[in-house]
Structure formats: structure tokens, C-alpha cells
Amino acid sequence: MTDPTETTAPGAAGALPSVWMQDLTWEEVAGYLEHERIAVVPVGSTEQHGPAGVLGVDAYVAITLAEDLARRTGVLCTPPIWFGDSSHHGAFPGTLSIQASTLSLLVRDVCRSLARHGFDRIVLVNGHKGSNLPALTTSLRQLHDEELPGVLFAVADPLHLARSAAPGLKDVNEHHGGELELSHVHHRIPGSVRTDRLTDAGVDFQEVFGGFVGDDLFGPAPDGVDIIWSGEEQRRFAPTGSFSSSTGLSEEKGQRYHDHIVARLAELIAWLRTYDGPVGAKPARRGPEGPAAG
């Protein structure tokens, strides 16, 4: 991560000492809100990522994507959420998991606080690819439907944002602890990956999951189902914690992967700034006969 004292946010809000809210005063955030209404919330996890990946991989993915997006577009980021739904990695020491319901409540409270002060375009960047999505999308759908219809929520995840780029970057199937996510963190936070512990260990998905679970997060998937497993079961079928080979790690792959996702997120910010459609529009007051006039 960059030194916040060297960070500027050159967007509509003008220069600020940092793109991170925790490094600003309330008056600086109030000044930002005079010109801008977008906030980015990085959400990750603290969980095992094989012998080479540190526990903070997913959080670092969310933090670095959010930070570089903010530096590029001039939006602000909230402090990161370091914990996610990681019970399926829970048998590995250091994994810190919270229940999906806890994550849902936490995210809703953060978004309520943002909306209270005028942020009505809120982007959540999920670094815990796929696994946090049920809690995030369900909680935000309910919050938008029941309390904050005038807020446009977006949930961004590399699992979807890198779908077109990943096949041309990776050399093998990509899954948990694989070459792309570790290359990403290796590029953006040098020294965080234990490069002397890279492994070609993986999971035999056919044997363990009967061909119903895909072995490549960015490749063709079978006509399948979600199969649920525990942390103890994972220790049996993936004793190193790695689901796919990480030996193809490279700084170049990580940079190209990161830059592709940031560019796509920047397009999202540009769209949010000009969007005037039905989603997130301030609802009309309704009377007993329907929408009120005026």
C-alpha cells in the first residue's frame, strides 16, 4: 500500500491528503461531499492461502484495487473490512472467520452511515472471490429495498471483473491460492508472498467433487452444483491449503491482472457519475392512489 501522506485524489473533490477516510478529518470529508457522492468499501478476509500466500491476501486484493481506483478517479475509500465468511478454511491456523450474518450486519451499518451523510453511490470491492458474495448481495438488496432506495449499490469482484482477461494471463487452472491471486498481491505488495514456498499442489476436483464443481474460477465450468465442505474436510482434501498451482507466479501477470480490474472499475465510476436512470433514483412520494404529483 502507498504512504497516505503521498496520496492525492485528483477527482471532482480536488486534492486531498489521502484517498482513505480514516486519514482525513470530518471537515475534509464534508468538503469532498460538496462535489462528489461516491464511496468505495473494500471487503476481504483473513484466511489461509496455502504455504506461499499470507493470510491477508483477500484483504490486500480489495485494499489495493480500491486504493488505485481512488487514486485514478478521485473517489474516497472507507477503512477496509478485514474479515469475511471463511469457515471453510477454519481448520487452518490464523484463519479468522465471521458468520455471513455478521458480515451482512456490518456491511449494512457501514452503508447506513455513508448514506446518512450523503453518499448515494456505494461500491463494495470484494477481494474474497465469490465467498463473500451471498452475504453482500443479499444484505444490500434488502437494505436498498427496505431503507435506502435512493442509494445505488454495486458489488465488484475480480471473479467477474477479470473474466475476459484471466484466460490470457494464467498458465494453469486458477483456484484458491493459485498463480493469479498470488501474482496480484506479489505485484502490488512486494515481499508479501513467500516465493520460496510456491507449490504445484492442488485438488483433484473430479475425485473430491464428482465433476460437479469447476476446477478453474476463470475457465469453463461444468453443469454443476454448490457442494458445501468444512474446514476439517478441506484439510483432508487440500492439506497444503492450495487448490491450484502457484508456481507460475510472476510480477508481470499480477500487474496486468490488477491493471485490467482497476481500469474496469474506473469505467464503473465514470458511469456512476453520469447515471440518471431508474436504479437508485429518489423515489416519488406515494399516496393511497399511487405516486404523488409534484
Side-chain angles (χ1 to χ4, degrees), residues 92-162:
F92 292 81
T95 295
L96 304 175
S97 181
I98 60 176
Q99 295 182 30
S101 58
T102 303
L103 178 60
S104 177
L105 290 172
L106 176 57
V107 164
R108 277 185 277 185
D109 280 349
V110 169
C111 291
R112 286 187 184 106
S113 296
L114 291 169
R116 177 181 181 181
H117 297 293
F119 292 95
D120 62 7
R121 299 291 183 265
I122 300 175
V123 179
L124 278 73
V125 177
N126 178 41
H128 186 21
K129 292 193 297 296
S131 294
N132 280 340
L133 289 182
L136 298 181
T137 56
T138 299
S139 60
L140 293 180
R141 186 176 296 117
Q142 182 179 4
L143 186 63
H144 178 67
D145 188 56
E146 297 179 0
E147 297 182 40
L148 300 175
V151 177
L152 196 161
F153 294 103
V155 180
D157 190 313
L159 189 64
H160 304 300
L161 286 170

Side-chain angles (χ1 to χ4, degrees), residues 29-262:
V29 176
Y32 171 87
L33 283 165
E34 292 177 2
H35 306 279
E36 185 63 88
R37 51 184 178 155
I38 298 173
V40 179
V41 183
V43 184
S45 70
T46 299
E47 64 179 39
Q48 73 84 14
H49 275 82
V54 295
L55 296 164
V57 161
D58 289 345
Y60 289 141
V61 166
I63 290 167
T64 57
L65 289 173
E67 182 175 70
D68 287 357
L69 171 67
R71 289 171 61 84
R72 178 167 175 168
T73 64
V75 297
L76 284 184
C77 305
T78 71
I81 296 174
W82 281 85
F83 308 109
D85 181 1
S86 302
S87 62
H88 50 301
H89 298 292
F92 292 81
T95 295
L96 304 175
S97 181
I98 60 176
Q99 295 182 30
S101 58
T102 303
L103 178 60
S104 177
L105 290 172
L106 176 57
V107 164
R108 277 185 277 185
D109 280 349
V110 169
C111 291
R112 286 187 184 106
S113 296
L114 291 169
R116 177 181 181 181
H117 297 293
F119 292 95
D120 62 7
R121 299 291 183 265
I122 300 175
V123 179
L124 278 73
V125 177
N126 178 41
H128 186 21
K129 292 193 297 296
S131 294
N132 280 340
L133 289 182
L136 298 181
T137 56
T138 299
S139 60
L140 293 180
R141 186 176 296 117
Q142 182 179 4
L143 186 63
H144 178 67
D145 188 56
E146 297 179 0
E147 297 182 40
L148 300 175
V151 177
L152 196 161
F153 294 103
V155 180
D157 190 313
L159 189 64
H160 304 300
L161 286 170
R163 189 156 295 280
S164 66
L169 297 175
K170 62 187 181 63
D171 292 321
V172 296
N173 291 349
E174 172 72 10
H175 218 287
H176 184 76
E179 66 176 49
L180 276 187
E181 70 172 349
L182 295 193
S183 291
H184 183 194
V185 177
H186 176 64
H187 155 65
R188 194 54 182 76
I189 307 181
S192 62
V193 175
R194 310 298 191 250
T195 54
D196 61 335
R197 298 286 291 156
L198 297 173
T199 179
D200 62 2
V203 172
D204 186 333
F205 279 73
Q206 179 65 40
E207 178 183 346
V208 177
F209 301 117
F212 291 99
V213 176
D215 63 355
D216 191 344
L217 294 176
F218 297 107
D223 296 336
V225 300
D226 286 330
I227 294 178
I228 309 304
W229 66 83
S230 70
E232 287 71 21
E233 289 164 343
Q234 185 185 128
R235 283 294 295 263
R236 292 199 289 271
F237 68 72
T240 69
S242 178
F243 280 43
S244 64
S245 174
S246 58
T247 58
L249 175 140
S250 78
E251 197 277 338
E252 180 187 2
K253 287 178 186 174
Q255 180 174 1
R256 291 171 62 192
Y257 178 80
H258 176 82
D259 289 349
H260 173 87
I261 298 171
V262 171

